[in-house]
């Protein structure tokens, strides 16, 4: 049985790199409100402080191998780095390593270590630290896909100032996972509460349920951060965040809805628009009646008008989805699946009748109350499902309750949430629905899907692997594993006088380039 993991909510995708399985990334679409991904023009000013409003507290542990939620990964991207790291274009670039090469047979990866890289505690990064990081990550990571990828390592060692990794068999997506092995000091035991990495910002302090403070790392090996200090301030109450933005006590906030943006944008903020790179859906517990019935699930797909949801909740912003792949994974994204279940009330009623639920049924939609986009969508779903006799009730819960009871405990009927990919590979989006994957919270059990995914994950031919992943996505659609909705639009408010923020094809918030302008 695979190790149970907690990593969830929100977004990521494929990227352009020398490894073909990590190729074909497309930058996020930026538009709406006239945004080009920046907030203003003028000469960049070094220094200053920034307050960022975020909607959930970070996880209990700040250890990079124990990060349990995407929101935690998003923030700590500023602190940690691997041998390579993703950039805003969707490419992997050298980080702690100065370069990398891959042997012709795809088995050997060589990463020359960059000279002069320091940890935030002032100690120099050594080969021993890198080897320790890989060994510790492989033994302790909560991310199943990452652990499995590292299990393919036949040998790892240092030679002539480079880390040399040899795999037991070619793994086209291996570089994607190398980037997830954050390099940490070998002789440091406080990562969970006082993290030390090599990134452009260093950890200063954390107050649980209040804030996380980082500051510019003066000895950073690369282009230094522009800002001196960043405070991530937690607002689990959306109204409190809106009040703070209106009062000017918060300089930046992301993952906002259209209504939130309209309420506070004015002349004080610039609005940037990207996408969250996630799969938002009405996720159904396939082990619970009546959702164990494929016809019922298909009826629900026909009963939901996704176009109306986008119009009602986001003024048409966002990208319609029909399976567990979103558009940024252009190589694997099949747009035709978006219309596999056109809105058809009579078809939905007919399927319910055939399934033995002609009078409809009662159901509960559990939603984390601090995520306004999910609450808004759930409210529309209640109204739409009622048109076919399905009587849905929303159960708002706190985030930690959702995480422990719904995601980990699988004690739910349905839920509205969004799943991201923790690594830049299609498998990171699709593996979770394999029957033996402990992140398979919906209890999806389909032998055909398992077989196709097993073949895809083992395949080294790029074209064949792509076809298999697309076949797996088709199966999820055909069997109505969930009621798929959208990749949410991602609205960011950035106070006037700030510039330099870029959307990534990955669920991260890179603040190293954000700066004030003269």
């Amino acid at each position: 049985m695979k190790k149970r993991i907690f990593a969830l909510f929100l977004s990521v995708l494929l990227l352009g790199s020398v490894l073909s399985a990590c190729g074909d990334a497309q930058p996020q679409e930026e538009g709406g409100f006239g945004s080009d991904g920046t907030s203003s023009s003028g000469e960049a000013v070094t220094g200053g402080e920034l307050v960022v409003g975020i909607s959930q507290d970070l996880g209990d542990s700040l250890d990079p191998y124990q990060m349990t939620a995407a929101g935690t990964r998003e923030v700590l991207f500023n602190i940690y780095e691997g041998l390579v790291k993703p950039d805003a274009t969707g490419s992997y670039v050298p980080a702690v390593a100065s370069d990398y090469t891959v042997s012709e047979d795809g088995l050997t990866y060589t990463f020359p270590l960059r000279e002069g890289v320091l940890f935030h505690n002032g100690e120099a990064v050594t080969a021993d630290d890198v080897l320790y990081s890989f060994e510790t990550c492989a033994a302790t990571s909560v991310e199943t896909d990452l652990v499995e990828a590292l299990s393919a390592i036949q040998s790892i060692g240092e030679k002539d100032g480079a880390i040399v990794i040899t795999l037991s068999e070619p793994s086209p997506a291996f570089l994607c996972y190398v980037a997830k092995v954050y390099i940490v000091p070998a002789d440091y035991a406080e990562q969970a509460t006082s993290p030390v990495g090599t990134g452009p910002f260093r950890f200063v302090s954390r107050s649980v349920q209040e804030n996380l403070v980082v500051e510019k790392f003066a000895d950073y090996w690369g282009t230094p951060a522009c800002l001196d200090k960043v405070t991530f301030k937690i607002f689990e109450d959306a109204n409190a965040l809106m009040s703070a933005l209106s009062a000017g006590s918060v300089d930046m906030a992301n993952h906002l809805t259209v209504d939130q943006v309209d309420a506070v944008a004015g002349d004080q903020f610039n609005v940037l628009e990207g996408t969250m790179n996630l799969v938002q859906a009405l996720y159904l517990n396939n082990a619970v009646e009546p959702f164990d019935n494929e016809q019922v699930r298909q009826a629900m797909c026909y009963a939901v008008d996704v176009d109306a949801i986008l119009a009602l909740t986001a003024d048409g912003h966002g990208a319609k989805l029909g399976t567990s792949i979103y558009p940024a994974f252009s190589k694997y994204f099949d747009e035709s699946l978006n219309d596999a279940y056109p809105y058809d009330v009579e078809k939905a009623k007919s399927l319910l009748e055939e399934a033995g639920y002609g009078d409809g049924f009662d159901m509960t939609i559990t939603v984390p109350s601090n995520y306004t986009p999910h609450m808004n969508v759930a409210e529309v779903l209640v109204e739409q499902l009622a048109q076919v006799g399905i009587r849905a009730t929303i159960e708002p819960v706190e985030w930690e309750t959702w995480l422990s009871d719904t995601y980990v405990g699988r004690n739910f009927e349905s839920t509205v949430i969004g799943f991201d990919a923790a690594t830049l590979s299609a498998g990171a989006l699709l593996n979770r629905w394999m029957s033996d994957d402990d992140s398979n919270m919906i209890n999806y059990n389909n032998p055909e899907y398992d077989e196709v995914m097993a073949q895809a994950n083992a395949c080294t031919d790029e074209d064949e692997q792509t076809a298999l992943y697309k076949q797996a996505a088709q199966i999820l659609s055909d069997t109505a594993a969930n009621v798929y909705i959208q990749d949410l639009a991602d609205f960011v408010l950035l106070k006037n006088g700030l510039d330099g923020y870029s959307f990534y094809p990955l669920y991260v918030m890179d603040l190293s380039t954000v700066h004030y302008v003269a």
Side-chain angles (χ1 to χ4, degrees):
M1 205 51 182
K2 297 179 182 177
K3 188 184 296 182
R4 181 171 297 264
I5 68 172
F6 299 83
L8 56 85
F9 183 63
L10 311 167
S11 91
V12 86
L13 86 159
L14 211 62
L15 44 61
S17 175
V18 293
L19 291 184
S20 58
C22 296
D24 293 343
Q26 298 295 327
Q28 290 172 280
E29 290 295 327
E30 296 171 0
F33 302 98
S35 168
D36 63 357
T38 59
S39 62
S40 57
S41 59
E43 184 178 351
V45 175
T46 300
E49 300 183 4
L50 182 74
V51 177
V52 181
I54 58 177
S55 62
Q56 72 176 67
D57 196 7
L58 277 65
D60 293 337
S61 175
L62 304 183
D63 184 317
Y65 314 136
Q66 296 295 309
M67 289 191 286
T68 58
T72 305
R73 298 197 307 268
E74 178 183 42
V75 169
L76 297 190
F77 179 81
N78 295 280
I79 293 176
Y80 292 120
E81 295 177 314
L83 291 173
V84 296
K85 63 189 295 185
D87 67 10
T89 70
S91 298
Y92 281 118
V93 296
V96 175
S98 61
D99 196 3
Y100 63 90
T101 57
V102 185
S103 63
E104 188 173 339
D105 61 7
L107 292 175
T108 302
Y109 291 72
T110 303
F111 300 91
L113 293 183
R114 188 184 299 275
E115 294 183 3
V117 178
L118 299 179
F119 287 116
H120 297 151
N121 60 7
E123 297 180 359
V125 175
T126 67
D128 287 342
D129 295 314
V130 176
L131 297 176
Y132 166 84
S133 298
F134 271 84
E135 292 167 1
T136 305
C137 182
T140 66
S141 177
V142 297
E143 295 188 26
T144 305
D145 290 348
L146 178 56
V147 172
E148 289 190 350
L150 296 181
S151 70
I153 295 177
Q154 186 175 68
S155 66
I156 180 172
E158 184 270 339
K159 181 180 180 181
D160 299 329
I163 300 298
V164 181
I165 300 174
T166 301
L167 305 182
S168 55
E169 58 184 12
S171 175
F174 186 67
L175 196 67
C176 306
Y177 296 100
V178 170
K180 292 292 295 178
V181 181
Y182 293 122
I183 307 305
V184 298
D187 298 319
Y188 182 72
E190 306 299 326
Q191 286 294 127
T193 56
S194 183
V196 170
T198 65
F201 289 95
R202 61 178 292 273
F203 173 83
V204 174
S205 65
R206 181 195 182 185
S207 296
V208 175
Q209 295 184 332
E210 291 185 13
N211 61 51
L212 175 86
V213 180
V214 299
E215 66 181 13
K216 176 179 181 177
F217 181 41
D219 295 320
Y220 182 55
W221 61 266
T223 302
C226 298
L227 297 165
D228 290 331
K229 178 181 177 182
V230 176
T231 298
F232 297 93
K233 190 170 178 60
I234 293 114
F235 292 92
E236 295 197 340
D237 183 333
N239 292 327
L241 174 58
M242 292 300 98
S243 297
L245 285 165
S246 298
S249 58
V250 169
D251 305 309
M252 175 181 169
N254 60 0
H255 311 324
L256 301 177
T257 66
V258 168
D259 289 342
Q260 288 173 322
V261 167
D262 289 343
V264 299
D267 296 328
Q268 189 177 4
F269 292 92
N270 283 282
V271 182
L272 314 181
E273 181 184 357
T275 55
M276 290 190 186
N277 290 327
L278 81 162
V279 179
Q280 187 199 50
L282 175 63
Y283 288 96
L284 306 173
N285 190 337
N286 285 216
V288 173
E289 293 183 0
F291 310 118
D292 58 346
N293 188 311
E294 185 175 307
Q295 283 186 309
V296 169
R297 300 195 305 269
Q298 290 172 335
M300 295 177 71
C301 291
Y302 282 114
V304 170
D305 186 348
V306 175
D307 291 321
I309 290 176
L310 268 62
L312 289 168
T313 62
D315 287 346
H317 297 275
K320 188 176 179 180
L321 297 181
T323 189
S324 285
I325 294 286
Y326 45 79
F329 278 86
S330 57
K331 183 176 179 180
Y332 308 104
F333 182 68
D334 184 350
E335 188 174 4
S336 69
L337 297 180
N338 295 351
D339 298 311
Y341 296 93
Y343 180 54
D344 190 333
V345 170
E346 294 308 313
K347 177 71 171 179
K349 288 181 178 179
S350 176
L351 283 168
L352 287 174
E353 184 73 35
E354 292 177 21
Y357 294 92
D359 295 328
F361 55 86
D362 298 318
M363 63 175 286
T364 300
I365 306 175
T366 305
V367 188
S369 58
N370 57 313
Y371 284 111
T372 302
H374 300 323
M375 288 292 293
N376 290 347
V377 167
E379 290 171 0
V380 179
L381 286 170
V382 168
E383 298 299 321
Q384 293 185 348
L385 293 172
Q387 302 305 307
V388 299
I390 298 175
R391 299 169 292 278
T393 301
I394 298 173
E395 180 186 15
V397 297
E398 294 183 354
W399 171 250
E400 290 301 325
T401 300
W402 187 94
L403 195 63
S404 61
D405 294 354
T406 304
Y407 184 73
V408 178
R410 304 187 187 184
N411 181 26
F412 76 106
E413 292 182 345
S414 70
T415 184
V416 176
I417 199 69
F419 281 108
D420 76 332
T423 57
L424 303 181
S425 63
L429 283 170
L430 299 175
N431 284 337
R432 67 169 59 250
W433 308 131
M434 295 177 73
S435 61
D436 65 344
D437 195 302
D438 279 333
S439 58
N440 179 12
M441 63 170 290
I442 66 169
N443 297 301
Y444 185 68
N445 191 342
N446 186 322
E448 181 187 6
Y449 183 82
D450 289 348
E451 175 61 26
V452 170
M453 283 301 299
Q455 293 178 28
N457 290 333
C459 185
T460 58
D461 180 87
E462 178 184 1
D463 292 338
E464 182 180 351
Q465 184 183 59
T466 299
L468 287 166
Y469 280 135
K470 293 179 78 171
Q471 182 181 348
Q474 178 78 56
I475 293 171
L476 292 176
S477 173
D478 291 345
T479 60
N482 303 290
V483 181
Y484 292 101
I485 301 172
Q486 65 176 319
D487 179 2
L488 285 157
D490 188 8
F491 295 105
V492 175
L493 287 179
L494 199 61
K495 186 175 288 186
N496 287 339
L498 285 164
D499 203 347
Y501 182 76
S502 296
F503 290 96
Y504 270 59
L506 174 66
Y507 194 67
V508 300
M509 190 191 313
D510 182 2
L511 298 181
S512 67
T513 57
V514 175
H515 58 266
Y516 285 91
V517 294

